Every structure is written in structure tokens, then in C-alpha cells.
Amino acid sequence: MKVWTGGKQGKQRWRRRSNTTPRSLLVCERSSFCDENNRVSSQVEQLHFNYKVSVLLSDCSSAPSHLESLLTSFSHFYLVRNLPLHELLDKQFLETAVYQGNVYGLSYRTRLDEDNCVALMPNGHLVLSLDKDSFQVLGFEGKTSTFNYKTKNRYVVTVDLTDGSMAPGRQAYLRLLTGLTSRLPLQMDFLLSHHPGGGASLQALLSRYIWSEHKPEVGTCSLTHLPCPDLQSCDPHGLLEWLGAVDANISRDNSSSSFLSSLVCPEPKRTVSRALRISICGLLLPHDVQRLIQELRCYLGQCQPESWVSLTVHGFVDSPVSWGGKEHGVLRGGENFYTLFIFHDHTYHLHLAAGAQDTCPP
Amino acid sequence: MSSGWRWRDLPSGVKFCGRKFSRKKSGTAMVRVKARYLLCELNVSDRTQLLLLDDRAVLAAVKTAVARIHGDYGAALCSMRFSIKYLNAHTGIVFLRFLRRAYKLLWSALPFITSIDARGHKIPCFLNCLHVGGTIRTCQKFLVRYNTQQLHRMLPKCRNEEEKQEVRKAILNCSLTKGNNEEFHIESESEEDEEAQS
Amino acid sequence: MSVFVDLNLSYTADNNRLRALIETAAHLGFSTVAINYVFEPTTKKKQEIPAPKPISALIDHLPIVQGRSRPITVLNRLTVVMSDSSHFRPNAAEYRGFDLLAVYPTTEKLFHSACMLLDIDIIVISVTEKLPFFFKRAPVNGAVDRGVVFEVCYSAAIRDSTMRRYTIANALSLMETCKGKSVILSSAAEKALELRGPYDVINLGRLFGLSDADAKEALSSTCRSVLLHAETRKTASGIVYTRRSCQEDSPQPDLCDAPAAKRPHLAE
Amino acid sequence: MRRDEEKGEAAVFQRVVLKNASPYHYMKVCLVLEDESTKLSAVELKQFIITGLKTLYGEVGAALNFDLLKYDEDTFTAVLRVYSKWLVKLWSSLTLNGFYQNQACAFRVLQVSPFLLALSGNSRELQLD
């Protein structure tokens, strides 16, 4: 007679689970921009909500002027306070913004593993990641979160606002609208941004609420005598560790036997006499990142053959979607970022990293 | 506060735990608590000192070693269902019972026992693990086999016919039945590890 | 997953310290905390059950939860230390002032009755002494079925090495029996520096034999169901709820403040 | 745990998926002390962490290797690197460390990640006010 349905197996599974480390994923790709099948642009395009871009230019002491002007021309974004979510379904907003495309929206000061999080994607999809209470009160169909499928404590509602069935006045539209107005009047701080060339206009929405405009913050830092591993042969984790150490200003001149830290630059290494690190923070659009990559390639064309450029793009930890609208989750940290090394001969190395609760990057 | 409450929202028999529970008739089921039994041999330089040993001394020695090697966490694991099931002061055979999920960790501390304090004497010794079993019975079987082997090994070393006779007799004795081996008699109920839970 | 909750901050008469506790909890990312009043009846003389202080008297301005734009929610909770079955008085009027009701049974018999009979929300597991009894499946399953949860407090483990051993050992034997479900982890902190962040506690759950996901639930979803359970306790099967219509000046803690417990969840 | 998939269409294109392959985990921690005027050097901090490991995990724990990559003496903030399989041990010993030289203290773990890069790009730090 067994008490638990899981029986022996269930118990063992429970034990095994309590001993595993959370998983992590790292996808490494090597190819060339000259290759017609390269997917860099689509991969960049698919990570919608970027928080920080940091660029490392080797053999460079001050940023070239056109690069600097490009960085200052990154799209601005808006912070709207206490935005009722039903405003996103407003007919006027749909017509002036969502249908035009390229509107990015993300709830701010909400945590994906605790609160309700919302994202408005540029293709007009609205994604709500809701806890159990809110989902059941909302009364709109959704799916159990992939990462909580056993306990069913989190639900994801995905709505295509551009779809015909969600046109204002249709049944599904009305159901969601009444859900968000009467049953679940969600209000949250919202980050909004849009592609300036897209023709979308957010003014009508902004005018009704307290909002502020923000400019992505740019920071530069020049480095000298940077030990640098051989980028072609270094193993990906060692390479990312090295890059992270550069980003976090961690000294690498330890010997491997020192007491405090045995972090060293992977061998074989060479020393780069000058390097420049540029970082930019805010709600950044993939479109701008795309432009930055083009610019960096142009810049690299004028440099010496041994120089290279790295570009790291961090996604928002609490965004309900990661690459291409796939579900994203937070277990301990919701890291989703990619690093692109571009070389003089137009070849590139792309490293896409995802945390414990994330599907495999494209 | 209860504006959102409706009749149909209520589950039958109020359970607001957000989870389905297996509703079984509990009360009659017996669940065995899994354990691991380690059959160890105490090796000392002077065999007469073995007689000084008792359960408590060995228990304390193991606990100190575990606390030293694995700290508070090890000590916590070691306090759960750990006991000395059997100690033969003549042959230096010890039976240790550990919680199954932790036995590897605790086992790893055993080699670090270098001496045991017993009745005011410090006995230098080390523990040699002979067998790991899931029940006392398997360990017992192993021990009988092991002792037979040892006797076989002793046979060629005997100096006179008398000794040889004795050893032969002993071998014959232990291969007869497993129960009445005279240097090994635990309480015959080896089911005692199958403790009833609930 | 829902918000992180710490259902046990020890009550001290020192207002400043209590305020520091609440502020630290908010800073660490807890969205709801409960102030724990301990009632330990002794046989010698009759003692008063402590009355909860209204939150507004303790702290005039509730701190904002870190990284969020809402203030922290503070509840009251009573823990009755039971060494005799007469110590818990069901239907005592004094209990009604508290949002949550917990007992700390000291013998196996009391543990059994706490699991199967008493109208409570939380059963506190001893962490300061060697477990005086084994957890049996039947009462634990009974408690799980009734929606009563077990609480393991970790701050004793921070204070003292011996307590740490007891905490780990007792928590592990509890997890063996209840398989990591229906357990909450809370601090029982007396000082602000004894509080730990939610992710730290989740990792600590690994030491207690919980998986990452289970530990995370022990801090969030399970606490949410405790709060809901507490609300059903105040009502008749969650259906009928009575409230005095003429509001007197006595500042009864307003139930609308109950955070996740605002709405009952629908039947599965 | 290594899966290679090579796509044949172009000789130069190569894709490798590494699963759970990160050898290290990185932690950003901050030490809070009761008496804020206490000075603590990097070596003392590492010694302190090792002592904590030793009380919780004994000599095995004390032998556990970790690196103090960066330490800021003013804010008591440090970046640690530890082998992934020892993360739980190191983290739990940090959590249970309650006293530094008889004064109460607490480690606040700010972020944990298998990638060092992720520590410098945490969107939860975004402040717009």
C-alpha cells in the first residue's frame, strides 16, 4: 500500500530535483556577414526589449564622431505612470500606434516572478504574464506558463491586437476590454517607445497621463594595456568571462595561485594598448542596435586588420518574452543577452545566452 | 472585502491551497524509512584494547569526525536516524545505520577517524568499511561470507593439528545456517528497520 | 508565482526596531510581512493573550517595496505555544484580532491534534531543540488536506551553531514526510540583520531538502494560500462573513488590506 | 551535455549549443555590518567567508575554492566566482553567516548568474526618477 501516487519513482524524482543546479544555455555561432545565410539581423530583431548595449572597440582611444552621433540619436522612450492597461486597447491608440507597427511597450517596476508583467511587441502582440489570481479574474483565455506547468501558478495571455477578431467592437476585444476595465483594472508604470520612422504616434495616449521622456544614457571609458585572449581559439565561456571582467572593471593581473582571486586572462594572450568601452542604457530598440552594427562594420573597415569590435546587448530581465516572443521566466536571474564579435574580415562570432527559465535562442 | 465571492467559485469542502492533493485514506499504510547500513571493521594495533570499546564511544567518535569534516550541515544529517546497530568488541565489527540520502557524505568522514576515546583511554584505530547494504540481513549475509573467507585464510597458517581442527570446525559452523553463527547474533528480527510510519 | 511574503517578524515592544525590521523587509523585496505575537500560556497563572497593535500606530508611513511602486503590507499573527491541549482556546475572542493564527505544538499528541483538528493556519516546527517526535505521514497529510501549512524559521540558524544543526535536521525530516509541499519558510527575525533576501532564502531551502521551485513556492504561492486559508477561517466556509456595521473607534485591522487574499481563487 | 549541430549549407556557418556548461557562477554580494565604521580589507573578507564555510560545511567546506574578483571597501560590495556545483554551498554559508567579530552582520546577495557579463547589465537596476 502506498500513500503517495508518485510512489518510489516520485520520491526519487523529488530527490533528484533538489540536487540539480539551475540550467543555463549558451548558443555559439560563427559565420560571416558575407554569407547570405547569416541570421544576425533577424536574431537582433527578435530580441525586442533591450536594456543595455555595451561596445568594446580595440585599438581605439576615442570614439569616431559618426559613431558618437549615432549613439546620441538612439530613440527616446517614455515612462508613463500608472497607466491603466485598458488604454492599450483604446481604439484611437490602436489606430494611431499599434496598427502602424513598431511600438514597444514594457511594464516597469514589475518583477516577472512575482507580479503581473505586460509587454507590447512591435508586431502588435500584447503579452500578459499574470499570476493565478489575476488570470482567473480576468476571464480571458491563456496558457499555463511553461516554467510553472506543474503548479499552475502563472499564466500567459497572448493577444494579437492586429488580428481581425481583436478589432474594436468584436467579441474577443470586448471581453478583454471589460476584463481589463471592470474585473481586473490593472495599472502599472509603463515604458513606451516607438520607431521614429514608423508613423506611429503616442501623443494621444501620453497626454492623458503623467509621463516623462527619457534619453538613453551613454557612458564611455577608455582602457589601456588590456590583456586580451585569442578571440578565434578561446572557449566561449572563457571569452564571455573575460569580456564580463572588462565590463565590470575587474582586474585580471592575478597569478593563478594568488589567495584572493585566480582569475586570469585565458592563454594565449596579447596586450591591446588602447581600447574603448561604450555603454548605453535605457529601453533600446532593435532597430537602433541594427544601425549600430552597420556603423561598427563601417568603422572596422577603416581599421587595422587585427582589430575587432565586440557588442553586447542585454535584454530586460523582467520582460515576459525573450527572443521572438517566446516565453521568458525568472528563477534566480532572468539573464538573456547576446554578444557579437565582429572581425575585420567580416566574419563574426555570436554568443546568445539564456538563463534557467528560457527557451533556446533562435 | 468579499465582493468577488460567488457561490460557484467555492470548491466543495473549502481548500484554498491552489493545488490538488492526493486524497488517500491515510492511517493504515506502512512506509519504510530507507536507510543504509555500513559494515565496518575497527582496526587497532593492540587487539586487547578493542574490549574497551562500547557503542557510545564509537558513536561519539563518528559524530565528532563528521562535525569536523562536514561542519554543522554534516552534524545535522548525522543526527538524523544515525545509530550504532551492533558492535562486537571481540572482532571489532561495527554496524552503522545512516539516513540513505546522506550516507555518502557521512561515509566520507569515516576515514578521518584516527582514534576513539573509550573509558579514559585513547585508542588509535581506523575504520575499514567492508560492506554497504540496504538492510541488516544483507550485511549479515556478507559478514558470514567474509568471516568464512577469513577462516579459510587462517587455515594454512595454523601451527598444529589442534588449531586446524578448530578452524575447520568453525568454518563448518558458519556455513551451516546463517543464524547460529556464534560470533554474530543480532536480534533475529531484522525487520526492525521497517519502522511503521503513520 | 506570486509576491514574496515573510509571515514571521517577531514582535518587540521597541517600536524603532520593529520599524527597522519592516523597512529592511521592504528593502529586500518582501511585499507582505506579518508581525508575530507569541503567546505562551503557563499553568501557574492566567495570562492575557496579547492584543495586536494597529499597524498605523507602529509605523506611520509604510515603506515602498524595492523595485516596485507599491507599499509593503503588514499583517498581524498570533503564535500559541502549546504544551497542553487546554492552551489553545478555539473561538476565543482575542484570536479574532489577528489575521493569522499559528500554533507551536511541543508534543506528538498536540502535533496530531494541531494537524487534524484545530482551526489554525500555520503549524510552527521546532528549530531550537531536537525534535521530540517523528513526523508521521497521517497527521502531515491531514494538515496538507486541510490547507494548514508547516513553518520553518531560519533566523535561529543564523544566531547559533547548535540551533543551526537542529534547524537543518528538523527541516529535513519534515521535508522527507511532506515532500516539500505545504511548507513555508520565514525568518522569525528579531533584528533587521537577521532578515535575508528572498532569493537567499530560496537557496537556503536547498539545504532543507527543497528544490528551487518548491522553495520559491514556499516563499510565495504557499504563503498566498495561507492568507486565503486565514480568510476562510474568519468566515463560515468562506461563504458568510459577518461584520459589525457600526464602526467603533477601536481600530480593527481592516481586512481589505489582506493582499493576495483579496479574491478567492476559482475552483480548479 | 553538449550538443553540436552543424548546418551544411555554408562551410563557414557553425552553431554550437552549450547546455549547463558554464563552469562558474558569479555572485554580487554586499556585506551589511551593524557598526558601519568597521573597516574590512579584501583579504579579511575572504577569510571571513572561509570561516563561515568552515562552520557550516567543515573542513570540506573550507577547502572549497572561490575567487574574490572585485571588492569595494567603501560599500562592502564584492563579486565572487565559484564553481557551479558549489554555488549552493557557498551561497547558503553566506546566508547563515550572522556575526563578524561579535557584531551582527548580513550578506545581501544582489545578483547571481552563470555569466559574469550579466552582472553588469541587470535591468532591475534601472532608475528613471
Side-chain angles (χ1 to χ4, degrees):
Chain A
M1 247 190 286
K2 277 177 190 158
V3 174
W4 291 84
T5 38
K8 194 176 173 185
Q9 266 189 334
K11 191 170 179 184
Q12 277 167 358
R13 204 178 310 132
W14 172 68
R15 271 204 190 115
R16 209 174 308 132
R17 261 193 294 131
S18 67
N19 284 322
T20 47
T21 37
R23 81 186 182 126
S24 65
L25 277 175
L26 183 64
V27 177
C28 309
E29 288 192 8
R30 290 176 174 214
S31 184
S32 164
F33 282 106
C34 304
D35 184 357
E36 280 173 18
N37 292 321
N38 88 71
R39 302 189 297 153
V40 173
S41 59
S42 81
Q43 278 157 330
V44 168
E45 208 61 61
Q46 280 184 50
L47 191 63
H48 301 300
F49 303 103
N50 305 312
Y51 161 64
K52 183 181 176 183
V53 174
S54 71
V55 178
L56 188 66
L57 304 160
S58 77
D59 306 304
C60 168
S61 52
S62 67
S65 58
H66 44 272
L67 197 61
E68 217 157 62
S69 63
L70 174 74
L71 288 171
T72 49
S73 74
F74 264 53
S75 307
H76 294 194
F77 59 98
Y78 307 93
L79 168 64
V80 192
R81 286 181 194 275
N82 292 325
L83 177 77
L85 267 192
H86 64 82
E87 282 291 341
L88 297 178
L89 295 176
D90 181 56
K91 194 177 172 206
Q92 197 191 358
F93 177 71
L94 286 178
E95 275 164 6
T96 56
V98 176
Y99 293 159
Q100 308 291 329
N102 285 322
V103 175
Y104 296 79
L106 185 67
S107 54
Y108 175 57
R109 283 200 278 240
T110 52
R111 301 212 163 163
L112 189 56
D113 51 344
E114 298 179 60
D115 312 307
N116 300 322
C117 286
V118 180
L120 179 63
M121 299 205 287
N123 55 4
H125 285 241
L126 181 69
V127 181
L128 304 124
S129 179
L130 303 172
D131 60 31
K132 189 174 178 165
D133 297 312
S134 311
F135 173 72
Q136 287 172 337
V137 172
L138 176 67
F140 197 82
E141 61 269 14
K143 281 182 299 188
T144 330
S145 156
T146 331
F147 309 111
N148 279 316
Y149 65 93
K150 257 189 199 147
T151 50
K152 297 194 173 68
N153 276 322
R154 182 158 283 276
Y155 291 82
V156 180
V157 177
T158 312
V159 189
D160 186 358
L161 295 179
T162 56
D163 194 62
S165 64
M166 279 307 290
R170 300 296 295 269
Q171 205 184 355
Y173 171 86
L174 288 175
R175 203 165 65 238
L176 187 60
L177 189 66
T178 44
L180 286 174
T181 43
S182 59
R183 289 193 294 267
L184 183 71
L186 277 181
Q187 276 198 1
M188 42 182 74
D189 294 352
F190 221 74
L191 296 175
L192 274 172
S193 182
H194 70 100
H195 198 307
S201 157
L202 304 172
Q203 287 310 320
L205 177 78
L206 293 176
S207 62
R208 271 172 282 165
Y209 297 94
I210 308 168
W211 60 281
S212 52
E213 189 174 351
H214 295 269
K215 210 169 151 272
E217 252 175 72
V218 184
T220 53
C221 171
S222 64
L223 308 159
T224 51
H225 301 293
L226 186 70
C228 159
D230 181 25
L231 299 179
Q232 300 289 348
S233 65
C234 188
D235 89 293
H237 281 288
L239 194 61
L240 289 185
E241 181 182 60
W242 169 78
L243 196 63
V246 174
D247 246 20
N249 261 334
I250 290 168
S251 85
R252 287 152 310 274
D253 37 321
N254 307 298
S255 72
S256 52
S257 60
S258 70
F259 173 68
L260 279 180
S261 156
S262 58
L263 177 77
V264 285
C265 179
E267 296 283 344
K269 64 179 177 190
R270 70 184 182 97
T271 307
V272 177
S273 56
R274 291 170 296 138
L276 186 72
R277 196 180 69 207
I278 307 170
S279 63
I280 179 161
C281 254
L283 177 63
L284 311 173
L285 306 189
H287 168 78
D288 288 326
V289 179
Q290 201 78 269
R291 274 167 51 212
L292 184 61
I293 292 174
Q294 288 305 326
E295 191 57 52
L296 288 173
R297 284 183 59 201
C298 282
Y299 160 77
L300 213 54
Q302 304 152 8
C303 286
Q304 297 141 325
E306 69 267 22
S307 46
W308 48 266
V309 162
S310 90
L311 171 106
T312 307
V313 180
H314 297 273
F316 270 85
V317 168
D318 293 309
S319 145
V321 289
S322 64
W323 276 277
K326 287 199 185 124
E327 198 195 333
H328 174 65
V330 172
L331 187 65
R332 253 175 211 174
E335 53 273 306
N336 51 343
F337 68 91
Y338 59 88
T339 299
L340 182 69
F341 285 96
I342 312 171
F343 298 99
H344 188 260
D345 56 351
H346 297 294
T347 55
Y348 69 88
H349 292 181
L350 180 64
H351 302 279
L352 304 107
Q357 294 193 336
D358 232 328
T359 41
C360 190
Chain B
M1 60 122 207
S2 350
S3 58
W5 288 72
R6 272 164 297 168
W7 250 112
R8 58 189 170 84
D9 297 346
L10 289 163
S12 59
V14 186
K15 283 195 205 75
F16 285 105
C17 299
R19 169 179 334 127
K20 278 178 199 147
F21 296 111
S22 58
R23 257 178 287 168
K24 292 279 161 58
K25 281 205 187 72
S26 40
T28 48
M30 309 270 273
V31 180
R32 203 171 100 184
V33 174
K34 301 275 172 60
R36 276 280 181 269
Y37 295 89
L38 265 69
L39 173 65
C40 297
E41 186 183 42
L42 270 168
N43 288 302
V44 286
S45 46
D46 180 7
R47 288 191 75 83
T48 56
Q49 283 182 323
L50 270 181
L51 294 169
L52 293 169
L53 290 175
D54 57 355
D55 285 11
R56 225 177 310 142
V58 179
L59 195 85
V62 173
K63 280 199 168 177
T64 342
V66 168
R68 187 164 60 88
I69 301 299
H70 293 296
D72 289 344
Y73 182 63
L77 289 174
C78 199
S79 68
M80 295 171 72
R81 313 191 59 80
F82 167 59
S83 66
I84 305 275
K85 277 279 142 190
Y86 170 77
L87 170 74
N88 189 328
H90 297 274
T91 52
I93 294 294
V94 190
F95 257 50
L96 305 174
R97 183 182 68 179
F98 287 139
L99 193 73
R100 197 177 67 169
R101 64 181 295 169
Y103 86 96
K104 276 192 177 157
L105 187 104
L106 300 177
W107 186 7
S108 68
L110 295 187
F112 295 96
I113 297 175
T114 51
S115 65
I116 296 176
D117 282 314
R119 296 177 201 173
H121 295 271
K122 193 172 180 184
I123 307 166
C125 66
F126 68 91
L127 278 170
N128 177 22
C129 185
L130 300 174
H131 181 74
V132 182
T135 54
I136 291 190
R137 193 180 286 276
T138 56
C139 292
Q140 184 183 1
K141 277 181 194 159
F142 176 85
L143 186 61
V144 172
R145 211 168 54 233
Y146 177 76
N147 281 342
T148 323
Q149 251 173 25
Q150 293 296 319
L151 288 170
H152 274 293
R153 217 170 283 164
M154 270 164 73
L155 207 54
K157 288 184 198 156
C158 292
R159 268 162 293 173
N160 50 38
E161 201 55 35
E162 216 171 289
E163 272 182 9
K164 270 192 185 173
Q165 275 304 328
E166 224 165 88
V167 172
R168 281 207 190 98
K169 207 175 147 194
I171 295 175
L172 224 59
N173 242 349
C174 49
S175 48
L176 275 176
T177 46
K178 48 188 181 238
N180 50 10
N181 187 347
E182 67 145 52
E183 61 178 358
F184 189 81
H185 47 86
I186 324 177
E187 317 80 290
S188 59
E189 28 97 47
S190 71
E191 279 77 30
E192 58 135 49
D193 53 318
E194 308 193 356
E195 267 156 54
Q197 283 273 312
S198 74
Chain C
M1 301 284 165
S2 44
V3 292
F4 291 128
V5 177
D6 188 345
L7 289 181
N8 193 344
L9 299 183
S10 298
Y11 171 78
T12 46
D14 183 359
N15 259 2
N16 283 334
R17 197 195 272 186
L18 208 54
R19 206 171 300 140
L21 265 178
I22 293 171
E23 269 161 15
T24 316
H27 176 74
L28 290 174
F30 288 103
S31 301
T32 303
V33 292
I35 295 173
N36 184 28
Y37 296 76
V38 179
F39 173 54
E40 196 166 1
T42 44
T43 42
K44 280 175 196 150
K45 57 176 192 269
K46 202 165 151 68
Q47 280 166 302
E48 289 283 301
I49 296 175
K53 278 196 190 170
I55 307 303
S56 51
L58 293 174
I59 188 162
D60 40 301
H61 190 71
L62 287 173
I64 303 286
V65 183
Q66 195 206 12
R68 255 59 65 81
S69 39
R70 55 161 189 267
I72 193 169
T73 316
V74 185
L75 306 170
N76 287 311
R77 147 185 167 165
L78 178 72
T79 304
V80 182
V81 181
M82 275 174 89
S83 43
D84 187 82
S85 57
S86 65
H87 289 161
F88 184 84
R89 284 174 280 156
N91 307 323
E94 290 92 334
Y95 292 169
R96 302 202 131 241
F98 293 93
D99 299 305
L100 291 161
L101 199 52
V103 295
Y104 172 31
T106 47
T107 64
E108 176 150 27
K109 217 175 151 192
L110 292 173
F111 179 75
H112 195 276
S113 74
C115 286
M116 306 302 271
L117 300 168
L118 299 187
D119 198 9
I120 49 167
D121 310 311
I122 299 168
I123 297 169
V124 182
I125 299 302
S126 148
V127 289
T128 50
E129 57 187 6
K130 193 162 164 50
L131 213 58
F133 50 88
F134 279 118
F135 295 114
K136 297 266 175 74
R137 283 268 155 80
V140 169
N141 288 354
V144 168
D145 272 0
R146 293 201 313 135
V148 177
V149 301
F150 301 95
E151 182 190 52
V152 177
C153 302
Y154 62 82
S155 72
I158 294 170
R159 263 174 247 148
D160 184 90
S161 170
T162 333
M163 304 289 174
R164 191 178 295 170
R165 294 177 190 189
Y166 293 139
T167 309
I168 296 172
N170 296 356
L172 273 172
S173 43
L174 173 71
M175 303 311 167
E176 282 281 316
T177 321
C178 69
K179 298 213 167 53
K181 308 289 180 205
S182 274
V183 176
I184 61 172
L185 298 173
S186 51
S187 66
E190 286 165 7
K191 286 185 291 183
L193 282 178
E194 284 167 1
L195 272 171
R196 293 293 183 266
Y199 292 99
D200 295 355
V201 183
I202 289 167
N203 183 67
L204 204 59
R206 296 281 286 269
L207 224 63
F208 299 155
L210 289 169
S211 74
D212 264 335
D214 283 344
K216 207 164 183 174
E217 278 192 19
L219 253 80
S220 54
S221 318
T222 318
C223 292
R224 168 189 155 272
S225 46
V226 174
L227 295 174
L228 290 174
H229 185 266
E231 206 158 312
T232 62
R233 194 168 43 76
K234 297 194 167 186
T235 58
S237 312
I239 302 164
V240 186
Y241 175 69
T242 54
R243 179 150 56 169
R244 208 174 283 171
S245 59
C246 53
Q247 285 286 325
E248 283 167 53
D249 241 44
S250 66
Q252 186 110 358
D254 194 356
L255 286 161
C256 293
D257 284 347
K262 265 184 207 152
R263 302 163 294 268
H265 79 264
L266 309 187
E268 272 174 321
Chain D
M1 298 241 217
R2 204 180 160 117
R3 176 159 54 99
D4 291 30
E5 32 180 88
E6 208 112 357
K7 295 193 179 170
E9 75 254 329
V12 281
F13 187 81
Q14 185 194 10
R15 178 179 164 103
V16 183
V17 180
L18 301 166
K19 215 171 161 189
N20 290 346
S22 172
Y24 298 105
H25 266 70
Y26 304 88
M27 308 175 76
K28 198 183 208 175
V29 300
C30 169
L31 180 65
V32 182
L33 289 162
E34 200 172 31
D35 175 15
E36 278 159 17
S37 60
T38 317
K39 284 271 169 282
L40 194 72
S41 73
V43 175
E44 282 167 330
L45 179 75
K46 183 152 181 183
Q47 284 289 7
F48 177 46
I49 297 175
I50 291 175
T51 324
L53 276 167
K54 190 167 180 182
T55 46
L56 187 59
Y57 291 106
E59 287 174 11
V60 173
L64 188 153
N65 240 329
F66 70 95
D67 294 310
L68 185 77
L69 299 186
K70 189 184 171 185
Y71 175 59
D72 181 359
E73 290 193 19
D74 301 322
T75 54
F76 299 111
T77 311
V79 177
L80 307 177
R81 175 177 83 161
V82 64
Y83 282 106
S84 297
K85 67 170 183 182
W86 290 339
L87 172 74
V88 175
K89 283 193 172 182
L90 177 67
W91 194 352
S92 52
S93 87
L94 289 179
T95 310
L96 291 179
N97 248 348
F99 291 95
Y100 175 69
Q101 293 177 345
N102 293 324
Q103 63 166 314
C105 75
F107 275 104
R108 306 279 181 233
V109 178
L110 305 175
Q111 202 187 348
V112 176
S113 170
F115 305 102
L116 185 54
L117 260 176
L119 296 194
S120 57
N122 186 0
S123 65
R124 287 188 175 179
E125 290 165 2
L126 180 66
Q127 289 291 341
L128 290 178
D129 301 305

